[in-house]
């Protein structure tokens, strides 16, 4: 039996940009006003009649090689055996170094308790055999969560049979959120010139 | 093609002005300390008058600097975690020890200096030089390890920080020794020899600093897309005036010209150029920290 390694596939052929994942996450994790663990970036491109709206649901990639864990001065950020990256709220001193170095802007400081928080794929639900709240709530089932090492799960089947990509592979963080049919213009920041 | 971001969530400010102030203060401290050792460790007798001022300034700034950190962190009362839960790969963990050892060493070194114990002064000064280099060098590593930000993620960053620390330290020392001689000494005369030899040192350091900044920007301009974006931001974007005008022209090029051209160099112009440098280096820290984290990552 191989080690469990969680990962997520987001199938953008199915995503309708409804923000249900953002809302479900807020509700499940009591995320305060003004900050988000999971959100959907939306871009509009082209000129009528050749136009398209592209969506990019964003959340913590729970990277295989997380830079936030490397730089945390108090080891408040750590990686579990199944790959999920967590922040210990009792140990975090709120120095924000992890926020500054995260290539995915996945972290925020909780204004109520002044410690850093982020998406951890609802490990409290996953440990009970359930799915993360965003995966459960997604109406077109565009988010698929599971064990990357298990070839019989849907996440493994999709990874094996679809062209997938991750955000900023050049960072060497080895993200574990894989996108099917992501739009290049949504993947990179807007250029104003 | 027309592309516009219709909806996105932007990150909170992570470091901000307090961290820029912190870097500035540690820089002044490290610079002052190295200057104070010139006479007492390296035996350059003409720099003897600044030895005692140097060590007082170094200790003072290093007491002020961590205060900026405590105001910045979300949970200042949990700061003791830094000494209990260590992470060898985090520059901040290195820093929590450097920020403790360095001021203690400063105080011991200064105590022996004021007691007139030459041998012990030399020993603790020798220990202090690498500590001073690391206490400021590690702040460069804090930024250099921030691989998400193109402006920070360069191996030049610790060198840039060390050289600019020396630049700001020397400029401040020129100002302080002028003020001290003019208003607080018995003779009320300024030690011109000292001021001008510090001026020469300052000019040399500014030239090295300009070279490092030039190589940094040249590489950013042809590197990956985010590096090009941030190069445009500091050259012509929101930080253009601060980076080009305040930091480099006003804070480095004009003072360097004043210090290098003999016809322009007198006590008044050296004082003015030192003020320009001290202000310019502050904006160097400001541009590096706030400019580096300004652009959205996604």
């Amino acid at each position: 039996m191989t080690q469990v390694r969680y990962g997520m596939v987001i199938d953008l052929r199915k995503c309708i940009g409804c923000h249900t994942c953002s809302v479900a996450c807020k509700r499940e994790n009591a995320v305060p006003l003004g900050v988000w663990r999971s959100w959907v970036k939306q871009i509009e491109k082209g000129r009528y009649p050749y136009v398209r709206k592209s969506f990019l649901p964003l959340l913590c990639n729970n990277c295989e090689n997380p830079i936030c864990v490397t730089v945390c001065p108090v080891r408040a950020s750590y990686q579990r055996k199944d790959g999920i990256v967590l922040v210990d709220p009792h140990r975090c001193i709120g120095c924000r170094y992890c926020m500054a170095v995260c290539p995915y802007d996945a972290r925020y400081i909780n204004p109520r308790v002044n410690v850093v928080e982020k998406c951890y794929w609802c490990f409290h639900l996953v440990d009970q055999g359930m799915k993360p709240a965003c995966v459960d709530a997604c109406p077109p089932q565009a988010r698929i969560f599971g064990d990357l090492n298990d070839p019989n799960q849907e996440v493994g089947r999709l990874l094996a049979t679809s062209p997938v990509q991750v955000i900023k592979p050049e960072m060497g963080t080895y993200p574990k959120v894989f996108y099917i049919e992501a739009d290049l213009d949504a993947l990179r920041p807007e250029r104003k010139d | 093609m027309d592309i516009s971001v219709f909806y996105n969530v932007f990150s909170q400010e992570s470091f901000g002005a307090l961290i820029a102030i912190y870097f500035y203060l540690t820089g002044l401290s490290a610079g002052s300390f190295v200057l104070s050792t010139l006479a007492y460790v390296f035996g350059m007798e003409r720099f003897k008058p600044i030895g005692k001022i140097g060590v007082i300034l170094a200790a003072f700034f290093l007491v002020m600097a961590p205060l900026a950190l405590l105001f910045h962190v979300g949970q200042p009362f949990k700061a003791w975690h830094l000494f209990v839960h260590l992470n060898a790969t985090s520059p901040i963990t290195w820093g929590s020890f450097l920020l403790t050892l360095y001021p203690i060493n400063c105080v011991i070194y200064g105590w022996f200096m004021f007691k007139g114990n030459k041998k012990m002064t030399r020993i603790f000064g020798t220990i202090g030089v690498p500590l001073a280099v690391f206490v400021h060098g590690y702040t460069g590593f804090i930024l250099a390890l921030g691989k998400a930000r193109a402006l920070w993620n360069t191996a030049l960053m610790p060198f840039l920080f060390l050289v600019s620390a020396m630049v700001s330290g020397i400029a401040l020392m020129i100002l302080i020794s002028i003020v001290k001689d003019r208003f607080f000494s018995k003779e009320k005369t300024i030690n011109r020899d000292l001021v001008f030899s510090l001026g020469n040192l300052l000019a040399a350091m500014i030239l090295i600093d300009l070279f490092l900044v030039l190589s940094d920007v040249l590489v950013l301009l042809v590197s990956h897309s985010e590096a090009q974006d941030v190069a445009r931001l500091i050259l012509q974007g929101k930080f253009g005036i601060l980076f080009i005008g305040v930091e480099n022209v006003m804070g480095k090029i004009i003072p360097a010209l004043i210090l290098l051209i003999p016809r322009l160099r007198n006590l008044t112009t050296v004082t003015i150029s030192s003020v320009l440098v001290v202000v310019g280096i502050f904006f160097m820290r400001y541009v590096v920290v706030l400019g580096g984290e300004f652009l959205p990552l996604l």
Side-chain angles (χ1 to χ4, degrees), chain B residues 9-66:
Chain B
V9 171
F10 295 104
S11 61
Q12 298 165 313
E13 182 182 79
S14 29
F15 278 170
L18 275 170
I19 294 296
I21 292 171
Y22 164 70
F23 289 167
Y24 183 62
L25 291 177
T26 52
L28 284 176
S29 174
S32 313
F33 187 88
V34 171
L35 281 177
S36 94
T37 58
L38 286 181
Y40 286 88
V41 176
F42 299 101
M44 299 181 196
E45 285 300 315
R46 69 201 150 122
F47 291 118
K48 196 143 195 180
I50 56 172
K52 286 178 182 167
I53 317 170
V55 72
I56 291 173
L57 285 178
F60 172 73
F61 287 125
L62 231 279
V63 173
M64 301 303 290

Side-chain angles (χ1 to χ4, degrees), chain A residues 47 70-71 75 97 109 113, chain B residues 2 12 75 86 89-90 142:
Chain A
R47 240 174 230 184
T70 307
V71 302
R75 281 184 285 126
Y97 195 10
I109 199 131
V113 288
Chain B
D2 300 332
Q12 298 165 313
Q75 296 276 0
L86 309 177
T89 55
S90 170
I142 289 184

Side-chain angles (χ1 to χ4, degrees), chain A:
Chain A
M1 168 119 188
T2 47
Q3 178 74 48
V4 177
R5 211 70 184 164
Y6 287 119
M8 188 182 283
V9 170
I10 300 183
D11 190 346
L12 293 172
R13 295 171 300 192
K14 293 182 182 169
C15 178
I16 55 171
C18 64
H19 297 277
T20 305
C21 44
S22 319
V23 178
C25 171
K26 278 256 186 191
R27 194 198 58 88
E28 176 64 35
N29 297 299
V31 180
L33 269 179
V35 288
W36 305 81
R37 290 188 189 187
S38 171
W39 70 98
V40 184
K41 180 182 176 185
Q42 303 197 350
I43 64 161
E44 293 175 325
K45 54 187 222 173
R47 240 174 230 184
Y48 181 81
Y50 302 106
V51 293
R52 182 185 162 84
K53 212 170 171 183
S54 290
F55 311 117
L56 187 69
L58 292 160
L59 71 166
C60 176
N61 284 286
N62 287 275
C63 304
E64 195 61 46
N65 182 14
I67 181 70
C68 48
V69 173
T70 307
V71 302
C72 177
V74 293
R75 281 184 285 126
S77 288
Y78 62 101
Q79 191 175 34
R80 292 206 316 187
K81 283 222 163 58
D82 56 15
I84 295 180
V85 177
L86 292 168
V87 186
D88 181 346
H90 303 290
R91 195 179 278 190
C92 174
I93 60 169
C95 74
R96 310 183 196 196
Y97 195 10
C98 51
M99 289 165 59
V101 302
C102 173
Y104 310 100
D105 267 350
R107 292 169 166 249
Y108 60 87
I109 199 131
N110 183 330
R112 284 189 310 212
V113 288
N114 277 330
V115 295
V116 169
E117 291 179 352
K118 70 176 198 74
C119 161
Y120 38 66
W121 286 342
C122 292
F123 78 95
H124 54 291
L125 299 179
V126 171
D127 285 350
Q128 296 173 45
M130 292 187 266
K131 293 179 199 161
C134 56
V135 175
D136 216 21
C138 182
Q141 299 182 7
R143 290 179 180 238
I144 300 101
F145 179 82
D147 180 5
L148 299 174
N149 286 341
D150 185 348
N152 292 319
Q153 291 194 9
E154 194 187 353
V155 68
R157 285 208 300 273
L158 276 171
L159 272 180
T161 56
S162 326
V164 293
Q165 61 176 315
V166 296
I167 309 176
K168 299 189 188 182
E170 71 275 10
M171 286 292 162
T173 45
Y174 300 96
K176 290 203 298 273
V177 174
F178 302 90
Y179 295 87
I180 297 175
E181 220 172 78
D183 189 340
L184 174 65
D185 296 312
L187 284 172
R188 64 186 178 196
E190 190 180 21
R191 286 176 171 222
K192 289 207 178 71
D193 53 2

Side-chain angles (χ1 to χ4, degrees), chain B residues 262-284:
Chain B
R263 270 181 55 204
L264 296 177
R265 188 171 51 186
N266 58 48
L267 271 181
T268 321
T269 55
V270 170
T271 314
I272 292 169
S273 55
S274 305
V275 173
L276 290 179
V277 167
V278 170
V279 176
I281 294 296
F282 175 76
F283 283 98
M284 178 261 174

